[in-house]
Amino acid sequence: RRLWERPEPCGGGGGGGGRGGGGGGRAQRRVARSLRKFADICSSAAPVHPHTDSVRFLNELPPKLDLRGTGFGDGDALALAQALPKGDILEAVDLGENSRLSNEAACRLLEAIAGQHKGSLKSLKLDRCCSLGKPTIEMCTKLLKYSLWNLEVLDLSGMTIGMREYKGLGRAITYHKKISDVRLVETGLGKIDCRDVVRSIISNRSLRNLDLGWNSFNSEVFEILGRGVVDHKTLRSIGLANTGVCADSHDGRSPILAFMELLAGDKTLTALDLSMNALDKGAALVLESSLREHSQMARINLSRNHIGLVESRSLLRLLAHPGTPELRRILIDESSGCAADVPNTELFDEDPSGRYSLDLSHPVQRALLRLLLARTSERVPGLPFSNFMQNVTLEDVRFSIDGMKRGKRNVWLVPTAGVLSFDLDMSDVLLRPEDVASAGGTSPVPSVVVCRIVCRNRIVLATERKILAVLTHVKSVRDEYMLLDLLEALSRDFVLTPQQMKALTCTIIRPRNSGHQPFVTSLNLLPCLVDPLACRRMVLGSIGLSTDLMRLERSGRWLLALDFNSPSGHYELKLSEPADRAAAERLLLLARWEAQMWKSKGQVDISQWADGKCVRNASYNGRAFRWASPEEWRLPGKGSFSFDYAGLTRPTKDSAVVSDELWERILQQIRKSVLIRRIGESDAVQTPSVRSQDKQGASRASRKSNKSSDEQETSPLEKVSLRLKPDLLDIEQTTSAGWDVLWVLRSVSAHVWLRCDQFRELLCILHDRKLRAEALVSFCLRCVDWPMNGKMCRPKFTEADWLELRSKLGCVVFFHFFQPESVPFHLDLSVPEQKRILHTLIRLGTIENPGGGNFKGAKFDKNPGPTPNLEPFTSGIPLSWEAFDAMPSVGVIELTYRCSQEDVRLRGRRKLAASVGGWNACPDDLSGISSAMLWWSVLDDVSQDAVRVLAFLARHFKDLEAAFAFCDVNKDGKLNHKEFVQNVTSLGFLKKERKIADRSARSSEMPGAGGALKVPDASAVTRRPSISKGLLAIEGLGEDEGESEATRVLTAAYRFLDFSNKGEITWQEFTIIESMWREMDRSVAELRGLFIDCFGSLEQGWSFADTNDDNELSWREFSELAYQHHFDGPLRQIFMYLDLNNDSTINQEEWMLLTKFASEVGVGQGAASPGSPPSSPPAKRLSVPRRPPTR
């Protein structure tokens, strides 16, 4: 007992006087009495070992009886109950986690506490006392009703409470006026119908905190609970952890969704615990829809739920929304990812336009509809919903979407049943008037417009509180997969500054976070930067000049290299990667804007599938992909997405072309960068004879060794490739450098305007076909005269490459509006853009020759199948086809357009170029068109017999007028068939010399400029002396047979030149040779420059070209040499031109004619290139009479 006695105070401290001293004395006496009484009870007939916490309490008499987890037993409780002092001194009693405590002892103790301290007791906690049950609950119910009027906190968690006891307890809680904190976690609530109990509990208007976690509720109970929360005015926190795990039996959904949806009407909650509820996919969307305008919510716990990308995006949007100013933390600890997609979540893409069907019986789909309405009304206030939601039906019945209104609690009232279908067109939401027209009537800059649209669609963290909340939420995640989802969520919905991204990519603490992987974090967050300068700052600030910088450039190249001012090209994107998906979304935004601009100018639709999109040849996961309708702009999914983009931006009349002087300096610099010489081999090839001897020895050794079976397996081209090793030019290194140069050129292509002749000079420097193709994709729309002179670039590509390029950029882009003559058309009318080309040709034919005589060889296959069945039109192309809608939508047609020069209508062609192709920068007047346009012919498209005649006339006459005057014996300005055939035949057409010695003499008689046609006076026309028939013979033919062959060729050429089909060739028709000669002239000069680049000189080129050392080049050797070095052009026609004696071979003297020819046309010796700019434009260099302007 002496141990329990309280020591007396020293020195008369208690007698200091007054009431204070007397009160202290009474307290001490009360403590002493309690201790003595407790000692007597413990030493009674049933001895009890005194509990340390009981002794401490009785000795100090604090306001809180804290016996949590002390192992308190029945004896201890009974002893303490009898020893409790009287007086209202207890404010809190905590008996939690005492499993040894029984109902009888607990009831005795509670009764004693209520009897002695009922006026002061405010908190009672009996949680986790697993031995307590019905008697204790009944006692608590009784005490709530009659004794504990001031009780505020009641915690009965972990106790098993029967339904009958629960009903009484619920009623007691209902009528209690001061209770504010009720905790009934894991009490078995919900095993039987508990709707009345929950309704009773939630109806108490004094509640501030309610925790019903670890019980099992169905959707009806959650609905009652939700309505109670909404009607409550003081409830601040509610805990529902692990209460909705079991899905409803009738719909299989998470029952807690009903409660989450009803939270939209609440305005008082500050904390919400929904952890461990196995939430359905997309449940976070319901939470976002309900709480995005909740001004009091500060903390949400969603730990141990399924949180995937959709949920992460929704939570971050909720966390950053200005309508939740107090929300700072959303816990997602130990959550698992959710790989399943949620239907219709494409509504949150950059451009979600498309067809949607929402099942409004599902809370998630209703939440999507509410979010769509709310987000749209925030972006464009006052915009009627019917402007962007069209064809709205509810269960196939017309539905007025404008009737959607907000309820009393600012909640969107949407139907709760049925399928709502609608077409979403976000053009009015995405595009603003300032995006379509800038101040002063000028066209907006595409890059500025796209960045503006992206910033309007995405979330910008404006306040410091929101910045800290979002960045802390992301950086506090430790799980790698959850972190990737959060980073992708940021990349899809947010715009960040370089400083904010640096905060996520840097760290100085040990716990794993986003800062420990700066490369992964930076790569995923690249879409958050819309300004290229900001992107550069972020990369250098977070990664620096390290190996990760190169990895970042490679992984995010599609987004980093995206130029909205010059976007044309081929794209291969992985939509599962944030950077690639952002590139695709922004290209679609650009396409929508360009389509809107195109439409506003009154242009016709020239897209591939008449859907108004610049995206062509799209494929998804290796399969062809097409959007369902022109109004749909959604991305297909997360697979691989490849497509070609053909921009609609065209040059304006203010577009300034790069000057010839500047372009010459640029080309010289490109040449220095691209043409890489082999090191250490130039000295070995200075002497052609040495090279020839080495080649002869190697050839003999090769012929001996090639008698084995390997010779049968090696193709002729491979043999040539083994022999043809350029001694100066490193083809591999040159090609690699060419790609680097092209990358630089593409990056500045948006700031450069060229002419077609300048662009062709660039093509000649690029020694690889793929390089030239990529250059054409980047620069063809940057050529101001492309519809007039784009034809001159066609010969630099093979037919297969040209068809592929036309497929990439579109048939309309590659349609020669001003020079469609002699181009073979093969059009599939099931493709709308090809149908548009045919309609344009029909319109052009109606303007220039209403009778339809300009269409040659027109054939039509009405029902195309595996076997072509092309049949000629019996009565010509139907007149009804002049209307686009009247044209058939199925079928294949082949034709060639040929128009006589007298019938050409340049104004009509200019009008079509502007209205169909969008080329509004072409000159309006005839003189301007004539001065800007160079008539050109692709030698592979024209009659090859005409080309043979061209080569022959170029070697025999100094100018075009001289050739015409020589043939025009009647001097009537026209050539009939007889005049043309007889006079050209008399010059020895298609004759072969037998005496090789005469070759040099004939070479010396060639006119200047290698046969370039010049215009002297008519008196300068001279006729070459005829050659004796004894010295001539057709190769392989007799004289009669040779003359017959010459007549056939000349007749075919005459018919080709007779465009008007009148049986006579006028001077204007004869000048078609001018356009053919321009191509021949240019191509020979380019070929010569290529050989000099590759071999150093034409002499060295000859030693490499003559592979069999017979001092002659056959057509096969000549073509393989050009093919080996990626030369594209009229190669056969050049060979025909160089073959002076028509013996089907080229000797060294004929080969060296390239030197005279090129030096005359302005290509320098050795130092010049095929792409070097001439001293003057081609129109001035070729001294050919200009055609008079046509109407």
Side-chain angles (χ1 to χ4, degrees):
R1 290 187 178 180
R2 287 194 298 269
L3 294 175
W4 301 337
E5 291 180 353
R6 189 179 182 90
E8 295 292 337
C10 301
R19 299 176 59 182
R26 286 195 298 271
Q28 293 175 6
R29 288 192 293 271
R30 183 170 53 186
V31 170
R33 285 196 300 270
S34 300
L35 287 173
R36 291 191 189 99
K37 188 175 182 178
F38 185 70
D40 293 339
I41 295 171
C42 291
S43 59
S44 61
V48 177
H49 182 75
H51 201 283
T52 306
D53 293 284
S54 300
V55 175
R56 184 182 298 112
F57 170 74
L58 294 173
N59 190 31
E60 298 176 0
L61 293 181
K64 180 180 180 181
L65 175 59
D66 188 2
L67 300 174
R68 174 172 291 275
T70 58
F72 217 61
D74 290 349
D76 301 322
L78 292 173
L80 181 61
Q82 296 180 33
L84 276 178
K86 297 181 180 180
D88 293 330
I89 60 174
L90 275 181
E91 296 180 1
V93 175
D94 188 355
L95 299 177
E97 300 180 8
N98 288 298
S99 58
R100 296 173 54 204
L101 195 62
S102 66
N103 285 305
E104 181 181 358
C107 290
R108 292 280 298 276
L109 180 59
L110 290 175
E111 190 174 7
I113 292 173
Q116 302 295 333
H117 306 278
K118 62 181 178 181
S120 62
L121 190 63
K122 295 182 179 180
S123 175
L124 176 61
K125 296 182 179 180
L126 299 174
D127 58 295
R128 310 302 172 191
C129 296
C130 56
S131 298
L132 302 183
K134 177 179 177 181
T136 305
I137 300 301
E138 291 177 345
M139 176 59 68
C140 291
T141 303
K142 178 181 177 181
L143 295 178
L144 284 174
K145 288 182 178 181
Y146 304 111
S147 300
L148 303 179
W149 303 305
N150 294 324
L151 190 67
E152 295 179 359
V153 179
L154 177 63
D155 190 353
L156 302 179
S157 301
M159 299 174 60
T160 304
I161 303 177
M163 204 65 231
R164 181 177 299 176
E165 291 77 25
Y166 239 132
K167 290 181 179 180
L169 180 64
R171 286 192 295 270
I173 294 175
T174 301
Y175 296 107
H176 201 284
K177 295 182 179 180
K178 290 190 177 181
I179 192 166
S180 61
D181 191 344
V182 176
R183 304 173 190 177
L184 300 173
V185 179
E186 201 176 3
T187 56
L189 185 61
K191 293 181 178 179
I192 308 177
D193 188 4
C194 62
R195 290 176 293 179
D196 295 336
V197 176
V198 172
R199 187 180 291 110
S200 300
I201 295 174
I202 199 66
S203 62
N204 186 299
R205 297 308 176 191
S206 63
L207 278 179
R208 295 180 61 87
N209 303 303
L210 176 63
D211 193 350
L212 300 176
W214 290 83
N215 292 294
S216 181
F217 300 150
N218 56 27
S219 58
E220 295 179 356
V221 175
F222 276 119
E223 186 173 351
I224 293 172
L225 191 60
R227 296 187 185 280
V229 170
V230 171
D231 294 336
H232 219 287
K233 302 300 181 183
T234 59
L235 192 63
R236 295 291 182 267
S237 172
I238 186 168
L240 297 174
N242 198 25
T243 55
V245 177
C246 298
D248 276 352
S249 57
H250 64 281
D251 56 13
R253 301 167 188 162
S254 178
I256 201 171
L257 292 177
F259 170 79
M260 296 168 64
E261 188 174 17
L262 288 170
L263 286 177
D266 174 70
K267 301 300 178 186
T268 62
L269 284 177
T270 60
L272 177 64
D273 186 2
L274 300 177
S275 58
M276 301 182 66
N277 272 292
L279 297 177
D280 287 350
K281 54 183 181 181
L285 293 168
V286 181
L287 196 64
E288 179 190 5
S289 172
S290 301
L291 300 181
R292 67 194 313 267
E293 298 293 342
H294 202 297
S295 59
Q296 301 298 322
M297 186 64 67
R299 187 175 184 273
I300 301 175
N301 188 357
L302 294 176
S303 301
R304 300 186 182 183
N305 281 297
H306 299 300
I307 305 295
L309 175 61
V310 173
E311 291 76 18
S312 298
R313 293 180 64 185
S314 182
L315 296 179
L316 285 178
R317 288 194 300 264
L318 178 61
L319 197 61
H321 195 271
T324 57
E326 299 298 328
L327 185 59
R328 300 182 181 181
R329 194 70 190 274
I330 300 179
L331 300 177
I332 54 173
D333 300 334
E334 300 182 36
S335 296
S336 59
C338 181
D341 292 330
V342 180
N344 300 313
T345 51
E346 299 88 350
L347 287 167
F348 300 102
D349 288 349
E350 296 281 5
D351 188 351
S353 300
R355 182 71 178 175
Y356 291 90
S357 294
L358 303 179
D359 183 5
L360 298 184
S361 63
H362 200 294
V364 175
Q365 299 299 302
R366 291 197 295 270
L368 283 172
L369 179 58
R370 291 191 181 99
L371 288 172
L372 174 63
L373 298 177
R375 285 161 58 92
T376 308
S377 60
E378 289 174 358
R379 293 182 187 179
V380 190
L383 180 69
F385 297 144
S386 58
N387 282 25
F388 61 89
M389 296 178 69
Q390 292 122 21
N391 304 322
V392 184
T393 60
L394 182 62
E395 292 295 330
D396 299 328
V397 178
R398 297 288 297 180
F399 182 79
S400 176
I401 195 66
D402 288 329
M404 293 284 192
K405 303 295 180 184
R406 293 180 184 264
K408 295 181 180 180
R409 301 182 183 274
N410 203 27
V411 180
W412 288 100
L413 302 178
V414 301
T416 57
V419 177
L420 184 73
S421 301
F422 57 91
D423 291 320
L424 186 65
D425 185 2
M426 300 293 286
S427 57
D428 292 339
V429 179
L430 295 172
L431 301 178
R432 307 289 174 81
E434 61 269 19
D435 299 331
V436 180
S438 296
T442 59
S443 297
V445 180
S447 58
V448 175
V449 173
V450 174
C451 292
R452 198 157 52 200
I453 296 174
V454 172
C455 290
R456 282 200 301 260
N457 288 347
R458 289 172 172 256
I459 300 173
V460 179
L461 300 175
T463 63
E464 182 177 353
R465 176 175 292 184
K466 290 301 179 183
I467 294 173
L468 291 176
V470 172
L471 299 188
T472 302
H473 179 75
V474 175
K475 204 165 185 178
S476 62
V477 173
R478 304 288 183 262
D479 182 74
E480 182 178 357
Y481 296 102
M482 284 295 301
L483 178 60
L484 290 177
D485 283 340
L486 285 173
L487 293 176
E488 186 174 354
L490 279 176
S491 71
R492 299 280 286 272
D493 295 312
F494 287 80
V495 174
L496 300 180
T497 64
Q499 293 78 13
Q500 293 167 0
M501 292 190 62
K502 186 176 180 180
L504 292 173
T505 54
C506 301
T507 186
I508 58 173
I509 62 176
R510 283 189 175 183
R512 191 171 186 83
N513 57 41
S514 61
H516 286 85
Q517 294 180 321
F519 164 72
V520 176
T521 304
S522 299
L523 178 61
N524 282 274
L525 295 182
L526 277 179
C528 297
L529 299 171
V530 296
D531 182 13
L533 183 59
C535 182
R536 180 176 180 271
R537 290 176 180 172
M538 183 280 298
V539 171
L540 295 180
S542 59
I543 294 182
L545 299 175
S546 62
T547 55
D548 285 344
L549 183 62
M550 301 303 297
R551 292 172 58 199
L552 183 68
E553 191 278 330
R554 288 193 300 268
S555 301
R557 64 186 184 279
W558 293 113
L559 183 59
L560 293 173
L562 187 58
D563 187 356
F564 297 112
N565 299 321
S566 182
S568 297
H570 181 71
Y571 297 86
E572 294 184 356
L573 307 175
K574 295 181 179 179
L575 299 183
S576 58
E577 301 294 333
D580 286 8
R581 188 176 187 89
E585 288 181 338
R586 293 174 189 181
L587 279 171
L588 288 180
L589 288 177
L590 177 64
R592 176 182 276 279
W593 173 78
E594 286 194 313
Q596 184 68 23
M597 292 289 294
W598 188 266
K599 185 178 180 180
S600 65
K601 296 176 183 178
Q603 307 288 150
V604 298
D605 187 2
I606 61 172
S607 57
Q608 183 179 19
W609 300 109
D611 54 4
K613 297 179 177 63
C614 302
V615 176
R616 307 172 47 80
N617 310 317
S619 65
Y620 180 66
N621 287 337
R623 295 183 178 182
F625 172 79
R626 286 175 59 183
W627 279 274
S629 66
E631 293 77 20
E632 185 175 1
W633 292 82
R634 291 179 299 180
L635 288 174
K638 288 191 174 183
S640 59
F641 187 47
S642 63
F643 59 91
D644 297 306
Y645 190 95
L648 294 175
T649 302
R650 301 290 187 265
T652 63
K653 292 187 177 181
D654 298 330
S655 301
V657 179
V658 175
S659 64
D660 290 334
E661 294 76 11
L662 176 59
W663 186 243
E664 181 177 358
R665 294 198 299 270
I666 293 174
L667 290 180
Q668 289 176 355
Q669 187 62 38
I670 293 176
R671 278 181 50 79
K672 293 178 182 178
S673 303
V674 169
L675 300 181
I676 300 177
R677 309 289 182 177
R678 288 182 180 270
I679 300 176
E681 295 187 8
S682 58
D683 297 338
V685 295
Q686 295 299 320
T687 306
S689 60
V690 175
R691 181 64 177 173
S692 177
Q693 292 174 7
D694 294 341
K695 286 175 58 182
Q696 291 176 4
S699 178
R700 287 192 294 269
S702 176
R703 282 193 289 269
K704 290 180 181 180
S705 61
N706 285 345
K707 292 181 181 180
S708 62
S709 60
D710 295 340
E711 184 179 5
Q712 305 297 328
E713 301 177 358
T714 306
S715 65
L717 184 59
E718 291 175 346
K719 295 179 183 178
V720 174
S721 66
L722 294 174
R723 292 192 297 263
L724 295 179
K725 297 294 183 182
D727 56 273
L728 288 182
L729 192 64
D730 191 326
I731 297 296
E732 182 178 352
Q733 293 295 328
T734 296
T735 302
S736 177
W739 284 108
D740 295 336
V741 169
L742 182 61
W743 185 84
V744 175
L745 290 175
R746 183 179 175 87
S747 65
V748 300
S749 62
H751 310 284
V752 176
W753 295 104
L754 301 175
R755 296 192 314 270
C756 288
D757 62 299
Q758 293 175 329
F759 178 58
R760 175 156 175 166
E761 292 165 356
L762 173 64
L763 291 177
C764 294
I765 295 181
L766 304 176
H767 288 265
D768 185 80
R769 292 182 175 88
K770 294 182 179 179
L771 272 173
R772 290 196 290 268
E774 289 298 322
L776 183 70
V777 170
S778 300
F779 282 95
C780 72
L781 295 178
R782 309 300 299 178
C783 295
V784 296
D785 58 343
W786 181 259
M788 295 186 290
N789 299 319
K791 203 171 184 178
M792 69 169 58
C793 299
R794 163 66 182 89
K796 301 310 298 176
F797 302 91
T798 64
E799 183 178 0
D801 290 341
W802 188 258
L803 291 176
E804 183 178 355
L805 287 169
R806 189 180 70 174
S807 175
K808 286 183 176 182
L809 294 181
C811 298
V812 177
V813 173
F814 280 79
F815 181 71
H816 308 296
F817 286 94
F818 285 84
Q819 302 187 55
E821 285 79 10
S822 301
V823 177
F825 292 95
H826 181 89
L827 304 173
D828 185 357
L829 300 187
S830 63
V831 182
E833 64 164 349
Q834 299 187 30
K835 182 178 176 181
R836 179 66 63 183
I837 291 295
L838 177 59
H839 184 252
T840 303
L841 285 172
I842 293 174
R843 291 176 60 188
L844 180 60
T846 304
I847 295 173
E848 297 183 336
N849 189 351
N854 289 351
F855 299 107
K856 308 298 180 182
K859 298 179 180 180
F860 185 54
D861 187 354
K862 297 180 180 180
N863 299 308
T867 303
N869 186 23
L870 293 166
E871 298 179 354
F873 288 94
T874 56
S875 302
I877 295 179
L879 297 177
S880 61
W881 288 13
E882 293 182 10
F884 184 80
D885 295 334
M887 297 175 64
S889 298
V890 178
V892 174
I893 188 171
E894 289 184 355
L895 56 86
T896 302
Y897 187 85
R898 297 184 61 190
C899 182
S900 175
Q901 291 300 312
E902 291 85 354
D903 296 331
V904 171
R905 300 293 183 265
L906 291 181
R907 283 198 180 96
R909 297 187 177 191
R910 197 263 180 210
K911 183 178 180 180
L912 289 175
S915 62
V916 178
W919 300 98
N920 297 306
C922 299
D924 297 323
D925 57 314
L926 292 178
S927 60
I929 296 176
S930 299
S931 61
M933 188 172 66
L934 291 175
W935 291 96
W936 211 272
S937 290
V938 180
L939 299 185
D940 288 335
D941 292 342
V942 301
S943 169
Q944 296 307 299
D945 296 320
V947 176
R948 299 173 75 178
V949 174
L950 164 67
F952 180 78
L953 294 178
R955 293 195 298 264
H956 287 75
F957 294 95
K958 297 180 180 180
D959 57 84
L960 191 61
E961 289 182 351
F964 185 82
F966 172 76
C967 296
D968 186 13
V969 178
N970 297 331
K971 306 303 179 183
D972 57 354
K974 299 177 182 179
L975 299 180
N976 57 39
H977 178 264
K978 182 177 181 181
E979 285 178 324
F980 182 75
V981 173
Q982 287 184 353
N983 287 284
V984 176
T985 304
S986 65
L987 293 175
F989 181 66
L990 291 185
K991 303 296 183 181
K992 174 185 176 182
E993 295 183 13
R994 289 189 177 182
K995 294 184 178 180
I996 306 300
D998 291 340
R999 291 174 181 168
S1000 58
R1002 294 195 56 183
S1003 300
S1004 63
E1005 294 177 2
M1006 287 185 58
L1013 303 180
K1014 296 185 179 181
V1015 186
D1017 297 334
S1019 59
V1021 178
T1022 58
R1023 179 177 177 180
R1024 293 189 175 275
S1026 60
I1027 303 176
S1028 165
K1029 287 186 178 182
L1031 298 177
L1032 298 175
I1034 304 298
E1035 183 179 13
L1037 300 174
E1039 293 182 5
D1040 294 337
E1041 294 177 344
E1043 292 177 356
S1044 176
E1045 176 66 12
T1047 302
R1048 185 197 65 77
V1049 172
L1050 290 173
T1051 300
Y1054 182 87
R1055 291 174 178 172
F1056 172 77
L1057 295 175
D1058 183 16
F1059 273 46
S1060 61
N1061 294 326
K1062 296 179 180 178
E1064 57 187 13
I1065 300 176
T1066 63
W1067 164 248
Q1068 287 185 335
E1069 291 175 329
F1070 192 75
T1071 55
I1072 189 64
I1073 296 179
E1074 167 197 356
S1075 62
M1076 299 164 58
W1077 176 251
R1078 281 198 175 100
E1079 174 56 36
M1080 179 74 77
D1081 169 53
R1082 192 73 173 252
S1083 296
V1084 175
E1086 292 165 353
L1087 181 63
R1088 183 259 183 188
L1090 175 65
F1091 289 156
I1092 291 178
D1093 282 338
C1094 293
F1095 308 114
S1097 65
L1098 289 178
E1099 291 82 0
Q1100 291 291 340
W1102 172 261
S1103 64
F1104 276 90
D1106 187 14
T1107 56
N1108 55 6
D1109 304 317
D1110 58 354
N1111 202 33
E1112 288 184 343
L1113 286 183
S1114 65
W1115 160 246
R1116 179 179 178 181
E1117 292 174 314
F1118 185 76
S1119 61
E1120 288 177 347
L1121 175 69
Y1123 182 84
Q1124 182 76 13
H1125 297 90
H1126 300 275
F1127 177 81
D1128 286 325
L1131 199 60
R1132 184 175 294 277
Q1133 293 81 358
I1134 294 175
F1135 183 85
M1136 187 188 308
Y1137 173 77
L1138 295 178
D1139 183 16
L1140 295 179
N1141 58 355
N1142 298 321
D1143 61 351
S1144 300
T1145 59
I1146 297 176
N1147 57 33
Q1148 188 169 6
E1149 291 81 5
E1150 292 171 332
W1151 170 273
M1152 295 308 297
L1153 289 177
L1154 292 172
T1155 304
K1156 291 184 178 182
F1157 179 89
S1159 62
E1160 292 290 336
V1161 297
V1163 179
Q1165 298 288 342
S1169 76
S1172 298
S1175 57
S1176 59
K1180 297 179 180 179
R1181 188 179 69 191
L1182 292 174
S1183 300
V1184 189
R1186 278 281 185 182
R1187 301 184 187 180
T1190 55
R1191 291 172 289 175

